[in-house]
Amino acid sequence: MSLKIVTKRCKGCGICAALCPKKVLKVNEVEKIEVVNEKECIKCGQCELHCPDYAIFVEK
């Protein structure tokens, strides 16, 4: 897996999903981030860089 999400830290703000150029992430019904299309991930790191809670990491 290229994206690692620490759901306990995620508050569902959606910043990472909004900044993802390939729309790989979305906020689910329990207000946590989830990966919806991992194959499209280009590992740009925008989600990791802008997460205020350090809840998402890009593994290269």
Side-chain angles (χ1 to χ4, degrees):
M1 182 173 204
S2 62
L3 294 174
K4 189 85 156 174
I5 299 171
V6 182
T7 55
K8 288 183 180 182
R9 292 183 188 172
C10 179
K11 64 183 174 199
C13 67
I15 293 172
C16 57
L19 292 174
C20 180
K22 296 294 185 174
K23 304 302 178 207
V24 173
L25 304 166
K26 78 168 192 169
V27 178
N28 64 20
E29 61 277 349
V30 293
E31 296 185 3
K32 299 289 183 177
I33 204 68
E34 71 178 47
V35 179
V36 291
N37 197 3
E38 188 176 356
K39 291 180 183 178
E40 294 294 318
C41 181
I42 59 174
K43 300 179 180 104
C44 67
Q46 291 300 308
C47 55
E48 181 178 1
L49 183 65
H50 290 93
C51 180
D53 299 310
Y54 305 102
I56 190 164
F57 302 94
V58 178
E59 296 177 345
K60 297 185 179 184

